[in-house]
Amino acid sequence: MLCGSKINMDLLFMKMNYFFAWGAYAPVVPFFTTIGKQRGYSAFAMGITLTGMQIPSVVVRPVIGIVTDRYQCRKSIFLIGEVLLAIAVLGLIFIPGATAPESIADEIVFETSLYWVFFFLLFFFYLGSTMRSLMEDTICVSLLGDNVHEYGHQVVWGAIGFGISSMVSGVVVDWFSKGRDHNDFRPGFVITIVCVAFDIYVSAKIKVKQVEKTENFNGDMKRVLTDFRVIVFIIATISFGFFYTFIQYFLFWYFEDITNLYHPEYEPYIKTIQGFSQTIQCFLGEVPFFFISSYIIKKLGHMNVFSLGFVFFAIRFGLYSIIKNPVVALSVELLHGITFALPYSAGVAYTAKLAPVGAEGMMQGFYGMAMKGIGIPMGNFVGGYIIKNLGIIDAFRIFSIGSLTVCIVVSITNLIVNRMYKSENNVVQTS
């Protein structure tokens, strides 16, 4: 090797894992709501659907973290999650491709057997992704050890994989949908299956090392979970998940609505536009900010990074509410690095810093539970209801005001708590 350096093969495989895993998500996750929309399901029906499939992770994430910490089985759960995800996508490929010219009444939707097949396929997809993503981050921070601040340098490869896969899947879906009165999402699902197959091969090569719990484990956990700074962090994480869901699940709904209302000439290319929005998010948003996340987190602090994210959520939602051209709206995706990559990296790194020895999985489970088990389901339910009743444009105006309000509340609370702990520490040192 040049310069006498040695490649850490486990971290290399970890980077490859992120690349293929996130690449597998790209043709499916952002399209969830538009797949449902094509079937005639309203925004509220899809909000309930996404909420229902995500709520179990409130229990699943911490339980998996506890079980894998105790029984030293992180890699097994990791691989089982990937297999479950692949089975769900195979089901999506073969489920009848129902379409509806207009929205179907919600009460009718929930009475059809086809809806429930669709729901449970999404449920098992999310369950598999929950199992593997929790173990993925836990294994990654364990491999990094004292260099956990370099987490962004690993996960950036996930952004690269997501960006490439989303663009390719958007193009192939438009290509295979030519001449049809609906979009054929199956080519994208095939891309997901291929990425999962490569990911399973790569993940199997990662050597997982787990540390035994310390004797003071229970006391350490109680101290962490009752720390007011941690409580503020959890609240910020829930809020982060709440607002992020509008980007992850309803952005494509926004692109389709403004295209149908104001620029129908773009309809034949809508999946390409949607896929390209993800590519911009990843390559011009996430990639640079994942690389510099370590520097920014050190300079600003973990919680200040969250506050910065909420400010830019407000700006981002505000821009969506005034832009009516889907091509122009693509420029807003440049903000994705500040509204996702930075706060997500800060959350994983801060959780790893707080975790007692041997409880890394449990703590990452609590972080994931707050963001993906509470925040995102709440966002789906509330977002779906508001979008159905007010429309996507007015919804984004409300989300913008809400994000700015949360930023102010979290920033002030964090400042008060930090000053309180600083005063307590000064008293202890002088006594």
Side-chain angles (χ1 to χ4, degrees):
M1 291 295 298
L2 292 174
C3 303
S5 60
K6 183 180 179 180
I7 296 177
N8 185 322
M9 293 304 297
D10 288 325
L11 286 180
L12 175 61
F13 287 133
M14 202 72 232
K15 292 179 176 69
M16 294 172 67
N17 158 74
Y18 277 116
F19 179 88
F20 289 119
W22 288 32
Y25 295 151
V28 183
V29 176
F31 293 98
F32 275 165
T33 55
T34 52
I35 293 172
K37 186 179 185 182
Q38 182 170 280
R39 292 174 173 272
Y41 306 157
S42 70
F44 185 53
M46 284 308 301
I48 292 176
T49 301
L50 296 172
T51 301
M53 78 181 196
Q54 292 162 346
I55 282 181
S57 69
V58 175
V59 176
V60 169
R61 285 182 178 274
V63 167
I64 288 178
I66 292 170
V67 169
T68 54
D69 284 343
R70 179 178 178 83
Y71 295 104
Q72 310 280 298
C73 57
R74 290 175 184 169
K75 191 169 184 178
S76 297
I77 296 297
F78 191 24
L79 295 174
I80 290 172
E82 291 178 329
V83 172
L84 187 59
L85 186 152
I87 293 173
V89 176
L90 284 172
L92 288 172
I93 292 176
F94 294 106
I95 186 177
T99 60
E102 56 186 26
S103 183
I104 303 171
D106 294 339
E107 59 270 19
I108 296 176
V109 167
F110 298 133
E111 292 176 355
T112 62
S113 57
L114 187 58
Y115 165 79
W116 288 106
V117 172
F118 178 67
F119 172 85
F120 280 109
L121 287 174
L122 296 191
F123 174 83
F124 286 114
F125 179 94
Y126 192 78
L127 179 61
S129 65
T130 295
M131 294 168 66
R132 66 159 310 285
S133 65
L134 171 57
M135 291 299 96
E136 173 182 71
D137 286 339
T138 304
I139 293 169
C140 183
V141 297
S142 295
L143 291 173
L144 289 170
D146 294 336
N147 297 316
V148 68
H149 58 277
E150 294 183 0
Y151 168 80
H153 296 171
Q154 319 307 314
V155 76
V156 68
W157 290 96
I160 294 171
F162 196 100
I164 294 174
S165 182
S166 61
M167 185 62 193
V168 173
S169 61
V171 171
V172 297
V173 167
D174 274 340
W175 178 268
F176 279 89
S177 302
K178 284 184 177 179
R180 302 187 182 189
D181 58 358
H182 64 278
N183 291 301
D184 186 351
F185 293 96
R186 290 176 298 177
F189 298 156
V190 171
I191 293 174
T192 292
I193 293 296
V194 172
C195 287
V196 171
F198 277 109
D199 192 32
I200 291 174
Y201 175 78
V202 169
S203 301
K205 292 183 173 294
I206 300 173
K207 295 179 181 178
V208 180
K209 298 178 181 179
Q210 291 189 230
V211 180
E212 295 288 344
K213 298 176 182 178
T214 62
E215 293 182 0
N216 297 324
F217 172 77
N218 291 330
D220 290 340
M221 283 302 301
K222 182 178 180 181
R223 175 183 54 79
V224 169
L225 296 178
T226 55
D227 190 319
F228 281 112
R229 289 169 296 186
V230 175
I231 294 172
V232 174
F233 167 60
I234 293 298
I235 293 172
T237 300
I238 292 172
S239 302
F240 169 49
F242 180 85
F243 291 114
Y244 175 62
T245 194
F246 307 137
I247 304 298
Q248 185 173 27
Y249 294 114
F250 290 104
L251 180 61
F252 283 10
W253 195 290
Y254 161 77
F255 274 114
E256 290 193 1
D257 275 6
I258 62 172
T259 298
N260 294 334
L261 289 172
Y262 305 109
H263 291 277
E265 69 273 15
Y266 290 131
E267 286 184 7
Y269 315 103
I270 185 60
K271 296 306 164 189
T272 299
I273 292 173
Q274 290 171 335
F276 192 51
S277 73
Q278 303 298 292
T279 302
I280 294 174
Q281 284 184 9
C282 294
F283 285 105
L284 301 182
E286 292 181 21
V287 170
F289 279 95
F290 273 132
F291 270 120
I292 63 174
S293 61
S294 173
Y295 174 80
I296 295 177
I297 291 170
K298 284 183 178 179
K299 287 291 183 181
L300 298 182
H302 300 87
M303 290 304 301
N304 288 332
V305 167
F306 273 97
S307 296
L308 181 67
F310 291 134
V311 169
F312 278 88
F313 264 131
I315 295 172
R316 189 173 182 178
F317 294 147
L319 290 173
Y320 287 142
S321 70
I322 61 176
I323 295 175
K324 298 179 179 180
N325 187 314
V327 175
V328 175
L330 289 173
S331 61
V332 183
E333 306 316 301
L334 294 170
L335 300 178
H336 193 66
I338 306 177
T339 56
F340 173 69
L342 279 182
Y344 187 78
S345 296
V348 173
Y350 196 35
T351 303
K353 182 179 178 181
L354 294 171
V357 175
E360 297 86 358
M362 185 190 301
M363 287 301 297
Q364 291 297 336
F366 280 120
Y367 171 63
M369 177 189 71
M371 177 188 173
K372 301 178 181 179
I374 301 177
I376 287 181
M378 286 174 57
N380 282 320
F381 184 83
V382 173
Y385 179 82
I386 294 176
I387 291 169
K388 178 184 177 180
N389 289 279
L390 299 181
I392 194 74
I393 300 297
D394 286 339
F396 274 128
R397 291 195 181 103
I398 293 173
F399 301 155
S400 179
I401 296 171
S403 181
L404 191 59
T405 302
V406 169
C407 173
I408 295 171
V409 172
V410 169
S411 297
I412 293 175
T413 305
N414 185 58
L415 182 63
I416 292 172
V417 171
N418 282 339
R419 286 188 175 180
M420 179 180 70
Y421 273 81
K422 186 176 180 181
S423 298
E424 288 182 359
N425 290 336
N426 289 337
V427 170
V428 170
Q429 290 174 3
T430 57
S431 61

